[in-house]
Amino acid sequence: MQLTLDLPQQLEDELSEEAARLGLSLPEYVLRLLSTERPRRESGVAMPRTGAELVHYWQSEGLIGTRVTSVDSPELARMIRSEAERRTGE
């Protein structure tokens, strides 16, 4: 399918610059943009744009809290610092 768009000159220039930075032609770059955005829209889930949205997304997917941390972080930091202090300059 062929599709012709009349883009504002500024948008065309910006897209052309981005495509050139990636080593792509403008049509290849626009096709890549369209093909990567479409699946997100179809699933009904927009890509997170802020840190809070990302955390909310991870929580909704059950990703937060999946790793069990059995290490006492302050104790681990003390141990690492102690080991670093005992190192020789070899």
mmCIF file of all heavy atoms in Angstrom, residues 27-74:
data_model
loop_
_atom_site.group_PDB
_atom_site.id
_atom_site.type_symbol
_atom_site.label_atom_id
_atom_site.label_comp_id
_atom_site.label_asym_id
_atom_site.label_seq_id
_atom_site.Cartn_x
_atom_site.Cartn_y
_atom_site.Cartn_z
ATOM 1 N N PRO A 27 11.342 7.391 4.447
ATOM 2 C CA PRO A 27 10.239 6.413 4.430
ATOM 3 C C PRO A 27 10.489 5.220 5.371
ATOM 4 O O PRO A 27 9.575 4.758 6.050
ATOM 5 C CB PRO A 27 10.181 5.957 2.974
ATOM 6 C CG PRO A 27 10.759 7.098 2.203
ATOM 7 C CD PRO A 27 11.833 7.672 3.097
ATOM 8 N N GLU A 28 11.732 4.737 5.429
ATOM 9 C CA GLU A 28 12.046 3.627 6.338
ATOM 10 C C GLU A 28 11.827 4.025 7.792
ATOM 11 O O GLU A 28 11.277 3.257 8.588
ATOM 12 C CB GLU A 28 13.495 3.178 6.162
ATOM 13 C CG GLU A 28 13.792 2.463 4.871
ATOM 14 C CD GLU A 28 15.279 2.225 4.690
ATOM 15 O OE1 GLU A 28 16.091 3.135 4.995
ATOM 16 O OE2 GLU A 28 15.623 1.109 4.258
ATOM 17 N N TYR A 29 12.263 5.233 8.127
ATOM 18 C CA TYR A 29 12.126 5.706 9.502
ATOM 19 C C TYR A 29 10.658 5.880 9.893
ATOM 20 O O TYR A 29 10.229 5.449 10.958
ATOM 21 C CB TYR A 29 12.893 7.014 9.681
ATOM 22 C CG TYR A 29 12.807 7.566 11.081
ATOM 23 C CD1 TYR A 29 13.304 6.856 12.163
ATOM 24 C CD2 TYR A 29 12.223 8.802 11.322
ATOM 25 C CE1 TYR A 29 13.222 7.359 13.452
ATOM 26 C CE2 TYR A 29 12.144 9.309 12.609
ATOM 27 C CZ TYR A 29 12.648 8.586 13.669
ATOM 28 O OH TYR A 29 12.559 9.089 14.941
ATOM 29 N N VAL A 30 9.866 6.482 9.019
ATOM 30 C CA VAL A 30 8.442 6.690 9.303
ATOM 31 C C VAL A 30 7.738 5.336 9.429
ATOM 32 O O VAL A 30 6.914 5.142 10.329
ATOM 33 C CB VAL A 30 7.786 7.575 8.225
ATOM 34 C CG1 VAL A 30 6.278 7.601 8.376
ATOM 35 C CG2 VAL A 30 8.358 8.987 8.290
ATOM 36 N N LEU A 31 8.080 4.381 8.582
ATOM 37 C CA LEU A 31 7.495 3.052 8.678
ATOM 38 C C LEU A 31 7.852 2.401 10.009
ATOM 39 O O LEU A 31 7.010 1.778 10.661
ATOM 40 C CB LEU A 31 7.965 2.179 7.508
ATOM 41 C CG LEU A 31 7.385 0.775 7.451
ATOM 42 C CD1 LEU A 31 5.869 0.812 7.353
ATOM 43 C CD2 LEU A 31 7.985 0.024 6.277
ATOM 44 N N ARG A 32 9.086 2.575 10.443
ATOM 45 C CA ARG A 32 9.511 2.032 11.744
ATOM 46 C C ARG A 32 8.712 2.676 12.874
ATOM 47 O O ARG A 32 8.258 1.990 13.785
ATOM 48 C CB ARG A 32 11.004 2.263 11.943
ATOM 49 C CG ARG A 32 11.517 1.658 13.231
ATOM 50 C CD ARG A 32 12.978 1.906 13.439
ATOM 51 N NE ARG A 32 13.774 1.075 12.542
ATOM 52 C CZ ARG A 32 15.091 0.986 12.615
ATOM 53 N NH1 ARG A 32 15.757 1.684 13.503
ATOM 54 N NH2 ARG A 32 15.751 0.204 11.788
ATOM 55 N N LEU A 33 8.541 3.992 12.816
ATOM 56 C CA LEU A 33 7.757 4.679 13.854
ATOM 57 C C LEU A 33 6.330 4.150 13.903
ATOM 58 O O LEU A 33 5.792 3.864 14.976
ATOM 59 C CB LEU A 33 7.734 6.188 13.596
ATOM 60 C CG LEU A 33 8.991 6.974 13.885
ATOM 61 C CD1 LEU A 33 8.809 8.421 13.442
ATOM 62 C CD2 LEU A 33 9.349 6.909 15.351
ATOM 63 N N LEU A 34 5.719 4.031 12.751
ATOM 64 C CA LEU A 34 4.327 3.577 12.697
ATOM 65 C C LEU A 34 4.184 2.126 13.152
ATOM 66 O O LEU A 34 3.242 1.785 13.859
ATOM 67 C CB LEU A 34 3.763 3.746 11.292
ATOM 68 C CG LEU A 34 3.570 5.186 10.826
ATOM 69 C CD1 LEU A 34 3.189 5.212 9.349
ATOM 70 C CD2 LEU A 34 2.521 5.885 11.667
ATOM 71 N N SER A 35 5.107 1.280 12.775
ATOM 72 C CA SER A 35 4.982 -0.137 13.124
ATOM 73 C C SER A 35 5.274 -0.401 14.589
ATOM 74 O O SER A 35 4.740 -1.360 15.156
ATOM 75 C CB SER A 35 5.875 -0.996 12.236
ATOM 76 O OG SER A 35 7.227 -0.680 12.465
ATOM 77 N N THR A 36 6.066 0.436 15.243
ATOM 78 C CA THR A 36 6.336 0.218 16.662
ATOM 79 C C THR A 36 5.266 0.841 17.536
ATOM 80 O O THR A 36 5.046 0.392 18.649
ATOM 81 C CB THR A 36 7.717 0.769 17.082
ATOM 82 O OG1 THR A 36 7.793 2.143 16.765
ATOM 83 C CG2 THR A 36 8.831 0.007 16.412
ATOM 84 N N GLU A 37 4.579 1.850 17.074
ATOM 85 C CA GLU A 37 3.538 2.500 17.873
ATOM 86 C C GLU A 37 2.224 1.724 17.809
ATOM 87 O O GLU A 37 1.501 1.649 18.789
ATOM 88 C CB GLU A 37 3.321 3.941 17.393
ATOM 89 C CG GLU A 37 2.308 4.721 18.191
ATOM 90 C CD GLU A 37 2.694 4.945 19.644
ATOM 91 O OE1 GLU A 37 3.883 4.919 19.968
ATOM 92 O OE2 GLU A 37 1.772 5.130 20.463
ATOM 93 N N ARG A 38 1.928 1.115 16.697
ATOM 94 C CA ARG A 38 0.640 0.456 16.501
ATOM 95 C C ARG A 38 0.341 -0.642 17.515
ATOM 96 O O ARG A 38 -0.746 -0.659 18.081
ATOM 97 C CB ARG A 38 0.554 -0.088 15.081
ATOM 98 C CG ARG A 38 -0.870 -0.295 14.637
ATOM 99 C CD ARG A 38 -0.961 -0.804 13.227
ATOM 100 N NE ARG A 38 -1.211 -2.228 13.301
ATOM 101 C CZ ARG A 38 -0.365 -3.191 12.991
ATOM 102 N NH1 ARG A 38 0.801 -2.941 12.515
ATOM 103 N NH2 ARG A 38 -0.674 -4.452 13.109
ATOM 104 N N PRO A 39 1.243 -1.566 17.815
ATOM 105 C CA PRO A 39 0.914 -2.619 18.780
ATOM 106 C C PRO A 39 0.549 -2.071 20.160
ATOM 107 O O PRO A 39 -0.289 -2.620 20.840
ATOM 108 C CB PRO A 39 2.181 -3.471 18.849
ATOM 109 C CG PRO A 39 2.867 -3.220 17.564
ATOM 110 C CD PRO A 39 2.531 -1.787 17.204
ATOM 111 N N ARG A 40 1.150 -0.991 20.576
ATOM 112 C CA ARG A 40 0.834 -0.393 21.867
ATOM 113 C C ARG A 40 -0.606 0.095 21.882
ATOM 114 O O ARG A 40 -1.315 -0.055 22.847
ATOM 115 C CB ARG A 40 1.774 0.764 22.162
ATOM 116 C CG ARG A 40 3.197 0.331 22.342
ATOM 117 C CD ARG A 40 4.046 1.535 22.672
ATOM 118 N NE ARG A 40 5.405 1.231 22.284
ATOM 119 C CZ ARG A 40 6.198 2.031 21.627
ATOM 120 N NH1 ARG A 40 5.797 3.229 21.294
ATOM 121 N NH2 ARG A 40 7.411 1.677 21.315
ATOM 122 N N ARG A 41 -1.022 0.701 20.802
ATOM 123 C CA ARG A 41 -2.386 1.230 20.715
ATOM 124 C C ARG A 41 -3.401 0.083 20.678
ATOM 125 O O ARG A 41 -4.449 0.170 21.267
ATOM 126 C CB ARG A 41 -2.552 2.099 19.478
ATOM 127 C CG ARG A 41 -1.624 3.283 19.432
ATOM 128 C CD ARG A 41 -2.131 4.379 20.298
ATOM 129 N NE ARG A 41 -1.189 5.484 20.202
ATOM 130 C CZ ARG A 41 -1.244 6.529 20.952
ATOM 131 N NH1 ARG A 41 -2.180 6.643 21.852
ATOM 132 N NH2 ARG A 41 -0.370 7.489 20.829
ATOM 133 N N GLU A 42 -3.075 -0.988 19.932
ATOM 134 C CA GLU A 42 -3.989 -2.115 19.821
ATOM 135 C C GLU A 42 -4.222 -2.785 21.162
ATOM 136 O O GLU A 42 -5.309 -3.254 21.452
ATOM 137 C CB GLU A 42 -3.448 -3.142 18.821
ATOM 138 C CG GLU A 42 -3.576 -2.695 17.383
ATOM 139 C CD GLU A 42 -2.998 -3.708 16.419
ATOM 140 O OE1 GLU A 42 -2.353 -4.675 16.865
ATOM 141 O OE2 GLU A 42 -3.195 -3.533 15.211
ATOM 142 N N SER A 43 -3.191 -2.841 21.987
ATOM 143 C CA SER A 43 -3.334 -3.503 23.283
ATOM 144 C C SER A 43 -4.098 -2.633 24.267
ATOM 145 O O SER A 43 -4.476 -3.094 25.337
ATOM 146 C CB SER A 43 -1.958 -3.835 23.854
ATOM 147 O OG SER A 43 -1.262 -2.647 24.188
ATOM 148 N N GLY A 44 -4.317 -1.363 23.915
ATOM 149 C CA GLY A 44 -5.031 -0.457 24.805
ATOM 150 C C GLY A 44 -4.156 0.116 25.898
ATOM 151 O O GLY A 44 -4.624 0.805 26.784
ATOM 152 N N VAL A 45 -2.855 -0.187 25.859
ATOM 153 C CA VAL A 45 -1.932 0.300 26.876
ATOM 154 C C VAL A 45 -0.972 1.270 26.210
ATOM 155 O O VAL A 45 -0.221 0.895 25.320
ATOM 156 C CB VAL A 45 -1.133 -0.869 27.508
ATOM 157 C CG1 VAL A 45 -0.127 -0.346 28.504
ATOM 158 C CG2 VAL A 45 -2.068 -1.862 28.145
ATOM 159 N N ALA A 46 -1.024 2.509 26.641
ATOM 160 C CA ALA A 46 -0.090 3.505 26.110
ATOM 161 C C ALA A 46 1.250 3.330 26.809
ATOM 162 O O ALA A 46 1.309 2.910 27.961
ATOM 163 C CB ALA A 46 -0.632 4.907 26.349
ATOM 164 N N MET A 47 2.310 3.629 26.107
ATOM 165 C CA MET A 47 3.642 3.533 26.705
ATOM 166 C C MET A 47 3.785 4.581 27.796
ATOM 167 O O MET A 47 3.356 5.718 27.621
ATOM 168 C CB MET A 47 4.722 3.749 25.637
ATOM 169 C CG MET A 47 4.854 2.578 24.702
ATOM 170 S SD MET A 47 5.211 1.015 25.533
ATOM 171 C CE MET A 47 6.831 1.319 26.154
ATOM 172 N N PRO A 48 4.375 4.196 28.919
ATOM 173 C CA PRO A 48 4.578 5.154 30.008
ATOM 174 C C PRO A 48 5.471 6.305 29.559
ATOM 175 O O PRO A 48 6.456 6.095 28.854
ATOM 176 C CB PRO A 48 5.282 4.323 31.078
ATOM 177 C CG PRO A 48 5.106 2.904 30.687
ATOM 178 C CD PRO A 48 4.864 2.880 29.225
ATOM 179 N N ARG A 49 5.119 7.506 29.968
ATOM 180 C CA ARG A 49 5.900 8.685 29.590
ATOM 181 C C ARG A 49 6.570 9.332 30.790
ATOM 182 O O ARG A 49 7.422 10.180 30.626
ATOM 183 C CB ARG A 49 5.007 9.686 28.873
ATOM 184 C CG ARG A 49 4.418 9.124 27.591
ATOM 185 C CD ARG A 49 3.889 10.226 26.708
ATOM 186 N NE ARG A 49 3.216 9.685 25.557
ATOM 187 C CZ ARG A 49 3.831 9.424 24.397
ATOM 188 N NH1 ARG A 49 5.093 9.635 24.254
ATOM 189 N NH2 ARG A 49 3.130 8.936 23.389
ATOM 190 N N THR A 50 6.174 8.958 31.988
ATOM 191 C CA THR A 50 6.797 9.497 33.201
ATOM 192 C C THR A 50 7.196 8.339 34.097
ATOM 193 O O THR A 50 6.744 7.202 33.912
ATOM 194 C CB THR A 50 5.824 10.410 33.979
ATOM 195 O OG1 THR A 50 4.748 9.595 34.471
ATOM 196 C CG2 THR A 50 5.280 11.539 33.114
ATOM 197 N N GLY A 51 8.012 8.638 35.088
ATOM 198 C CA GLY A 51 8.415 7.604 36.034
ATOM 199 C C GLY A 51 7.230 7.021 36.776
ATOM 200 O O GLY A 51 7.142 5.810 36.987
ATOM 201 N N ALA A 52 6.290 7.874 37.166
ATOM 202 C CA ALA A 52 5.105 7.407 37.887
ATOM 203 C C ALA A 52 4.276 6.467 37.015
ATOM 204 O O ALA A 52 3.780 5.437 37.494
ATOM 205 C CB ALA A 52 4.268 8.595 38.349
ATOM 206 N N GLU A 53 4.141 6.790 35.734
ATOM 207 C CA GLU A 53 3.394 5.922 34.822
ATOM 208 C C GLU A 53 4.104 4.585 34.646
ATOM 209 O O GLU A 53 3.461 3.537 34.566
ATOM 210 C CB GLU A 53 3.210 6.598 33.463
ATOM 211 C CG GLU A 53 2.236 7.759 33.479
ATOM 212 C CD GLU A 53 2.141 8.456 32.130
ATOM 213 O OE1 GLU A 53 2.843 8.050 31.173
ATOM 214 O OE2 GLU A 53 1.360 9.420 32.031
ATOM 215 N N LEU A 54 5.430 4.614 34.613
ATOM 216 C CA LEU A 54 6.202 3.383 34.470
ATOM 217 C C LEU A 54 6.015 2.491 35.699
ATOM 218 O O LEU A 54 5.779 1.287 35.571
ATOM 219 C CB LEU A 54 7.677 3.699 34.256
ATOM 220 C CG LEU A 54 8.603 2.513 34.041
ATOM 221 C CD1 LEU A 54 8.173 1.708 32.825
ATOM 222 C CD2 LEU A 54 10.035 2.990 33.901
ATOM 223 N N VAL A 55 6.096 3.077 36.885
ATOM 224 C CA VAL A 55 5.890 2.306 38.113
ATOM 225 C C VAL A 55 4.482 1.725 38.138
ATOM 226 O O VAL A 55 4.291 0.545 38.461
ATOM 227 C CB VAL A 55 6.168 3.168 39.366
ATOM 228 C CG1 VAL A 55 5.703 2.462 40.627
ATOM 229 C CG2 VAL A 55 7.648 3.511 39.453
ATOM 230 N N HIS A 56 3.495 2.528 37.768
ATOM 231 C CA HIS A 56 2.108 2.039 37.722
ATOM 232 C C HIS A 56 1.990 0.869 36.747
ATOM 233 O O HIS A 56 1.339 -0.143 37.039
ATOM 234 C CB HIS A 56 1.154 3.169 37.336
ATOM 235 C CG HIS A 56 -0.260 2.722 37.221
ATOM 236 N ND1 HIS A 56 -1.037 2.418 38.307
ATOM 237 C CD2 HIS A 56 -1.030 2.485 36.131
ATOM 238 C CE1 HIS A 56 -2.228 2.018 37.898
ATOM 239 N NE2 HIS A 56 -2.249 2.051 36.571
ATOM 240 N N TYR A 57 2.627 0.985 35.595
ATOM 241 C CA TYR A 57 2.590 -0.096 34.602
ATOM 242 C C TYR A 57 3.226 -1.357 35.168
ATOM 243 O O TYR A 57 2.683 -2.450 35.048
ATOM 244 C CB TYR A 57 3.302 0.350 33.314
ATOM 245 C CG TYR A 57 3.483 -0.767 32.320
ATOM 246 C CD1 TYR A 57 2.395 -1.265 31.602
ATOM 247 C CD2 TYR A 57 4.730 -1.333 32.099
ATOM 248 C CE1 TYR A 57 2.551 -2.298 30.694
ATOM 249 C CE2 TYR A 57 4.896 -2.365 31.197
ATOM 250 C CZ TYR A 57 3.806 -2.841 30.503
ATOM 251 O OH TYR A 57 3.956 -3.876 29.609
ATOM 252 N N TRP A 58 4.412 -1.216 35.795
ATOM 253 C CA TRP A 58 5.078 -2.382 36.383
ATOM 254 C C TRP A 58 4.201 -3.026 37.451
ATOM 255 O O TRP A 58 4.127 -4.245 37.539
ATOM 256 C CB TRP A 58 6.417 -1.984 36.977
ATOM 257 C CG TRP A 58 7.473 -1.709 35.954
ATOM 258 C CD1 TRP A 58 7.471 -2.044 34.637
ATOM 259 C CD2 TRP A 58 8.700 -1.026 36.185
ATOM 260 N NE1 TRP A 58 8.624 -1.600 34.029
ATOM 261 C CE2 TRP A 58 9.393 -0.987 34.961
ATOM 262 C CE3 TRP A 58 9.285 -0.447 37.299
ATOM 263 C CZ2 TRP A 58 10.644 -0.396 34.832
ATOM 264 C CZ3 TRP A 58 10.534 0.140 37.164
ATOM 265 C CH2 TRP A 58 11.202 0.160 35.941
ATOM 266 N N GLN A 59 3.537 -2.202 38.270
ATOM 267 C CA GLN A 59 2.652 -2.741 39.301
ATOM 268 C C GLN A 59 1.477 -3.490 38.655
ATOM 269 O O GLN A 59 1.109 -4.580 39.098
ATOM 270 C CB GLN A 59 2.120 -1.628 40.204
ATOM 271 C CG GLN A 59 3.172 -1.085 41.139
ATOM 272 C CD GLN A 59 2.721 0.152 41.897
ATOM 273 O OE1 GLN A 59 1.899 0.927 41.403
ATOM 274 N NE2 GLN A 59 3.270 0.346 43.094
ATOM 275 N N SER A 60 0.901 -2.915 37.609
ATOM 276 C CA SER A 60 -0.239 -3.557 36.953
ATOM 277 C C SER A 60 0.151 -4.872 36.295
ATOM 278 O O SER A 60 -0.671 -5.775 36.154
ATOM 279 C CB SER A 60 -0.877 -2.623 35.917
ATOM 280 O OG SER A 60 -0.025 -2.466 34.794
ATOM 281 N N GLU A 61 1.412 -5.012 35.899
ATOM 282 C CA GLU A 61 1.902 -6.244 35.277
ATOM 283 C C GLU A 61 2.452 -7.228 36.305
ATOM 284 O O GLU A 61 2.915 -8.307 35.952
ATOM 285 C CB GLU A 61 2.985 -5.913 34.236
ATOM 286 C CG GLU A 61 2.483 -5.116 33.053
ATOM 287 C CD GLU A 61 1.478 -5.896 32.213
ATOM 288 O OE1 GLU A 61 1.719 -7.092 31.933
ATOM 289 O OE2 GLU A 61 0.448 -5.308 31.842
ATOM 290 N N GLY A 62 2.428 -6.840 37.580
ATOM 291 C CA GLY A 62 2.917 -7.720 38.639
ATOM 292 C C GLY A 62 4.421 -7.856 38.691
ATOM 293 O O GLY A 62 4.950 -8.859 39.157
ATOM 294 N N LEU A 63 5.126 -6.855 38.195
ATOM 295 C CA LEU A 63 6.586 -6.933 38.150
ATOM 296 C C LEU A 63 7.261 -6.398 39.404
ATOM 297 O O LEU A 63 8.380 -6.786 39.712
ATOM 298 C CB LEU A 63 7.111 -6.178 36.923
ATOM 299 C CG LEU A 63 6.658 -6.751 35.586
ATOM 300 C CD1 LEU A 63 7.101 -5.853 34.449
ATOM 301 C CD2 LEU A 63 7.185 -8.158 35.404
ATOM 302 N N ILE A 64 6.609 -5.518 40.107
ATOM 303 C CA ILE A 64 7.215 -4.965 41.316
ATOM 304 C C ILE A 64 6.993 -5.949 42.446
ATOM 305 O O ILE A 64 5.888 -6.443 42.660
ATOM 306 C CB ILE A 64 6.637 -3.579 41.647
ATOM 307 C CG1 ILE A 64 7.097 -2.598 40.568
ATOM 308 C CG2 ILE A 64 7.037 -3.115 43.032
ATOM 309 C CD1 ILE A 64 6.700 -1.179 40.782
ATOM 310 N N GLY A 65 8.084 -6.250 43.150
ATOM 311 C CA GLY A 65 8.008 -7.182 44.269
ATOM 312 C C GLY A 65 8.216 -8.629 43.862
ATOM 313 O O GLY A 65 7.997 -9.530 44.658
ATOM 314 N N THR A 66 8.654 -8.873 42.626
ATOM 315 C CA THR A 66 8.850 -10.254 42.184
ATOM 316 C C THR A 66 10.206 -10.806 42.595
ATOM 317 O O THR A 66 10.385 -12.007 42.630
ATOM 318 C CB THR A 66 8.721 -10.372 40.654
ATOM 319 O OG1 THR A 66 9.675 -9.516 40.033
ATOM 320 C CG2 THR A 66 7.319 -10.006 40.194
ATOM 321 N N ARG A 67 11.149 -9.936 42.891
ATOM 322 C CA ARG A 67 12.470 -10.388 43.328
ATOM 323 C C ARG A 67 12.527 -10.340 44.839
ATOM 324 O O ARG A 67 12.295 -9.314 45.443
ATOM 325 C CB ARG A 67 13.564 -9.511 42.732
ATOM 326 C CG ARG A 67 13.652 -9.632 41.224
ATOM 327 C CD ARG A 67 14.804 -8.869 40.690
ATOM 328 N NE ARG A 67 16.035 -9.467 41.202
ATOM 329 C CZ ARG A 67 17.233 -8.948 40.997
ATOM 330 N NH1 ARG A 67 17.352 -7.835 40.331
ATOM 331 N NH2 ARG A 67 18.294 -9.521 41.474
ATOM 332 N N VAL A 68 12.871 -11.459 45.408
ATOM 333 C CA VAL A 68 12.992 -11.516 46.857
ATOM 334 C C VAL A 68 14.388 -11.042 47.225
ATOM 335 O O VAL A 68 15.380 -11.564 46.741
ATOM 336 C CB VAL A 68 12.765 -12.952 47.364
ATOM 337 C CG1 VAL A 68 12.952 -13.007 48.866
ATOM 338 C CG2 VAL A 68 11.387 -13.430 46.957
ATOM 339 N N THR A 69 14.439 -10.028 48.052
ATOM 340 C CA THR A 69 15.719 -9.502 48.502
ATOM 341 C C THR A 69 15.928 -9.964 49.932
ATOM 342 O O THR A 69 15.206 -9.562 50.829
ATOM 343 C CB THR A 69 15.727 -7.961 48.431
ATOM 344 O OG1 THR A 69 15.395 -7.579 47.107
ATOM 345 C CG2 THR A 69 17.072 -7.398 48.792
ATOM 346 N N SER A 70 16.911 -10.829 50.094
ATOM 347 C CA SER A 70 17.162 -11.354 51.432
ATOM 348 C C SER A 70 18.388 -10.704 52.060
ATOM 349 O O SER A 70 18.809 -11.097 53.132
ATOM 350 C CB SER A 70 17.352 -12.872 51.376
ATOM 351 O OG SER A 70 18.445 -13.181 50.539
ATOM 352 N N VAL A 71 18.949 -9.734 51.381
ATOM 353 C CA VAL A 71 20.159 -9.089 51.859
ATOM 354 C C VAL A 71 19.798 -7.817 52.611
ATOM 355 O O VAL A 71 18.955 -7.044 52.168
ATOM 356 C CB VAL A 71 21.088 -8.754 50.673
ATOM 357 C CG1 VAL A 71 22.322 -8.017 51.135
ATOM 358 C CG2 VAL A 71 21.461 -10.017 49.927
ATOM 359 N N ASP A 72 20.434 -7.627 53.748
ATOM 360 C CA ASP A 72 20.286 -6.400 54.516
ATOM 361 C C ASP A 72 21.145 -5.340 53.822
ATOM 362 O O ASP A 72 22.373 -5.408 53.870
ATOM 363 C CB ASP A 72 20.751 -6.650 55.957
ATOM 364 C CG ASP A 72 20.680 -5.404 56.826
ATOM 365 O OD1 ASP A 72 20.099 -4.395 56.385
ATOM 366 O OD2 ASP A 72 21.206 -5.464 57.954
ATOM 367 N N SER A 73 20.509 -4.394 53.134
ATOM 368 C CA SER A 73 21.238 -3.427 52.314
ATOM 369 C C SER A 73 22.289 -2.642 53.084
ATOM 370 O O SER A 73 23.432 -2.527 52.617
ATOM 371 C CB SER A 73 20.267 -2.458 51.636
ATOM 372 O OG SER A 73 19.435 -3.160 50.761
ATOM 373 N N PRO A 74 21.987 -2.085 54.257
ATOM 374 C CA PRO A 74 23.039 -1.368 54.994
ATOM 375 C C PRO A 74 24.199 -2.281 55.367
ATOM 376 O O PRO A 74 25.361 -1.883 55.285
ATOM 377 C CB PRO A 74 22.318 -0.849 56.239
ATOM 378 C CG PRO A 74 20.885 -0.772 55.849
ATOM 379 C CD PRO A 74 20.684 -1.922 54.915
#
